Amino acid sequence: MVRAADITGGTAPTSAKGTTFTINTTGEVTITDANGRVIPVFVTNITAVKGVVHVKGNVTSFII
């Protein structure tokens, strides 16, 4: 389970599909995918039964 406070700006994890993306935390929190698309993150840390939900502004083609 990853909470917003666990992420630092510039973090570039690899997705389950093997692609990388960058999490930007300076100012507005965004995710930049491997194609350069910038996706805003609207809400973080919604506790769910099997983890934590983060609401973002676009559907992406990778699985985090």
Side-chain angles (χ1 to χ4, degrees):
M1 182 168 15
V2 178
R3 296 195 171 273
D6 300 330
I7 303 295
T8 57
T11 300
T14 302
S15 73
K17 287 186 170 183
T19 60
T20 58
F21 56 95
T22 304
I23 301 170
N24 311 295
T25 59
T26 304
E28 179 183 300
V29 178
T30 61
I31 297 171
T32 304
D33 70 11
N35 295 317
R37 294 177 291 207
V38 178
I39 302 148
V41 177
F42 296 119
V43 182
T44 61
N45 301 330
I46 302 168
T47 303
V49 175
K50 294 186 178 185
V52 177
V53 176
H54 306 288
V55 179
K56 51 195 182 69
N58 194 347
V59 177
T60 52
S61 62
F62 56 80
I63 299 171
I64 299 174

